[in-house]
Amino acid sequence: MKYSIRMRAAQGGPHERGGDHISGAERIVSESNLPTMAEQLVQRALHHSKGKADFINITIDGLADNAIHYIKAPNIITHEVTTKEDGWCTAQALLGQFGIAPQAVERAFVELCSLTQSMRGAMLIDATTGERLDNLGHRGVRVTHMDMDDEDGTIATLRARNLSNVHVREAVVLSAKVLSAPGIVGELCWSDDPDYQVGYVSGDNEYHRITKMKDLGSPIGGRVFFVKSVADMHAIIEYLQHTPVLVRFE
Ligand code: WAQ
Ligand code: MG
């Protein structure tokens, strides 16, 4: 049996009482690795560029072996851009290639750019009409129960491609799960970490890193998942939140 272990941290009290989100992370590990992992996640909550957490929640739940889905990581491609504006143009063109309608792409950028604080999860936007489909406001839909299948192998594979930071690993795992959800055709993301400007778009089993998607120093990030008009929203949200997924890198 494996365990899902998840951390969320906030400042100014718990998220549900209006605290500001500082950091969140999760892993899927064996029983023997649980104590070490709990410590690592607490350390991470306490040392974050967004500030000092005064609320930290750790949740652990057991996963039946036969409940775990194994999926492949998308191909990773990096686009070097010199300005945020170039980054947005690159992102918009790629999302168009994934079959997302211009008004949906437009809506996603408008929504992300009008945030005055970071979301904790993602907005679901109709890939044809651009309509926002979840009604979860600032919380959005949080994807959980995911990790790399083979940590050492994954780190080595990514490092060989000069992709050694934790942002990349976590974002590729999340995007792999999102792209494997029934009815999701693509994603747009940039980080809420003030010192991290890289963002990405994904679709067609590809993960396109774009080196500048926001201004340095901005603590506001977010994600949009683009959903086919005919999709079953309940099934998508259930999968994103509860189906345990391990991602294999090749
Ligand atoms: N489920 C749904 N949305 C999430 C989740 C999640 N588990 N985690 C984060 N988000 C949303 C939330 O709105 C955050 O504000 C936003 O994404 C950014 O989260 O170099 O670091 O963890 O290839 O700050 C992408 C590029 C980095 C990596 C993304 O996101 C690379 C990043 P962060
Ligand atoms: Mg962050």
Side-chain angles (χ1 to χ4, degrees):
M1 161 130 103
K2 287 184 158 59
Y3 290 83
S4 162
I5 174 164
R6 307 187 292 284
M7 174 277 288
R8 62 186 171 95
Q11 191 177 57
H15 300 89
E16 52 276 24
R17 291 202 214 154
D20 287 330
H21 180 63
I22 295 283
S23 118
E26 67 166 281
R27 301 297 303 272
I28 293 175
V29 296
S30 62
E31 182 179 340
S32 60
N33 285 332
L34 265 182
T36 319
M37 196 50 72
E39 183 184 344
Q40 277 183 25
L41 291 172
V42 171
Q43 289 291 0
R44 184 158 157 177
L46 289 173
H47 305 283
H48 196 280
S49 60
K50 291 193 75 182
K52 191 84 169 167
D54 55 22
F55 170 84
I56 302 170
N57 175 289
I58 299 272
T59 307
I60 297 172
D61 50 32
L63 308 172
D65 287 330
N66 62 9
I68 298 176
H69 290 216
Y70 290 84
I71 64 173
K72 274 203 219 158
N75 299 320
I76 304 173
I77 300 129
T78 300
H79 302 262
E80 298 281 349
V81 295
T82 47
T83 62
K84 175 183 83 178
E85 288 70 26
D86 284 351
W88 288 6
C89 283
T90 304
Q92 286 159 357
L94 287 162
L95 290 168
Q97 286 168 30
F98 301 147
I100 297 156
Q103 65 262 34
V105 174
E106 165 83 20
R107 177 77 190 271
F109 275 87
V110 168
E111 292 283 347
L112 287 185
C113 292
S114 60
L115 292 173
T116 52
Q117 69 182 103
S118 281
M119 297 182 68
R120 241 173 83 207
M123 301 180 213
L124 298 187
I125 286 185
D126 187 303
T128 308
T129 64
E131 185 194 348
R132 180 154 178 197
L133 300 172
D134 64 284
N135 45 19
L136 296 168
H138 254 85
R139 185 178 184 282
V141 177
R142 207 127 169 120
V143 188
T144 66
H145 295 88
M146 63 202 161
D147 202 348
M148 312 162 262
D149 180 32
D150 165 14
E151 179 174 14
D152 294 343
T154 300
I155 291 175
T157 304
L158 291 176
R159 188 162 288 157
R161 301 189 48 193
N162 266 328
L163 300 170
S164 52
N165 77 59
V166 69
H167 290 281
V168 183
R169 290 204 292 279
E170 290 181 347
V172 177
V173 166
L174 187 148
S175 77
K177 182 169 184 187
V178 168
L179 289 179
S180 73
I184 294 189
V185 289
E187 183 187 353
L188 165 66
C189 162
W190 59 81
S191 177
D192 59 6
D193 295 23
D195 50 9
Y196 205 72
Q197 278 183 289
V198 189
Y200 70 87
V201 294
S202 65
D204 281 345
N205 207 35
E206 292 173 351
Y207 174 92
H208 291 263
R209 309 178 67 231
I210 301 172
T211 53
K212 287 196 182 69
M213 286 293 281
K214 64 170 218 185
D215 294 321
L216 209 56
S218 160
I220 299 178
R223 277 182 155 93
V224 172
F225 303 157
F226 296 96
V227 176
K228 278 184 206 153
S229 295
V230 293
D232 174 348
M233 284 287 290
H234 178 76
I236 292 179
I237 293 175
E238 176 64 26
Y239 178 83
L240 293 175
Q241 292 183 334
H242 299 298
T243 302
V245 164
L246 287 173
V247 180
R248 292 184 161 145
F249 287 72
E250 266 140 34

